[in-house]
Amino acid sequence: MRARRAKRQKKVQSEFKEETEKAIEELRVDTVSKFRKHLDDITNMHNIFRQEQVTIQAEIRELWVEVAKTHSKFMATCQEQLDASEGVSEERKDRFLKALSMQSRAVKDHEKAINMLK
């Protein structure tokens, strides 16, 4: 009876071991499959991210180039305005000095005329 019981217990243990090994192998295969799928998903997401990053960086670079061009135009316009205003300022100063000298002569002439009438 003991031999029979030992034999049956050995058979049950053997079946349990086989089922456990089979379940572990199925779990391993399933886990590896899921891991590979997630790895592929992450790789695809990373590739999409890199492509978008390159595109966005190119757009940013284009915007900075446009900003630099606009700034150059602005600086050229400012310089033209400054040069023009300096020229006008010099001309205005010359005219002002001529007007002052004419006024001074007019005052002197007026004084001479008054003195002549006396």
Side-chain angles (χ1 to χ4, degrees), residues 12-57:
V12 169
Q13 287 176 348
S14 176
E15 288 174 0
F16 179 74
K17 182 180 176 186
E18 287 175 14
E19 288 175 10
T20 304
E21 287 174 349
K22 182 179 176 184
I24 289 173
E25 181 62 22
E26 288 174 1
L27 182 61
R28 186 192 67 79
V29 168
D30 186 49
T31 303
V32 167
S33 173
K34 286 179 182 178
F35 179 80
R36 285 185 179 153
K37 181 190 175 302
H38 291 304
L39 183 63
D40 289 342
D41 291 345
I42 290 171
T43 302
N44 289 336
M45 287 171 34
H46 180 71
N47 289 337
I48 291 169
F49 167 78
R50 291 294 294 161
Q51 289 171 351
E52 289 176 353
Q53 184 182 29
V54 167
T55 303
I56 290 170
Q57 284 177 341

Side-chain angles (χ1 to χ4, degrees), residues 1 50-51 57 65 102 118:
M1 195 153 178
R50 291 294 294 161
Q51 289 171 351
Q57 284 177 341
V65 167
M102 286 173 57
K118 288 183 183 182

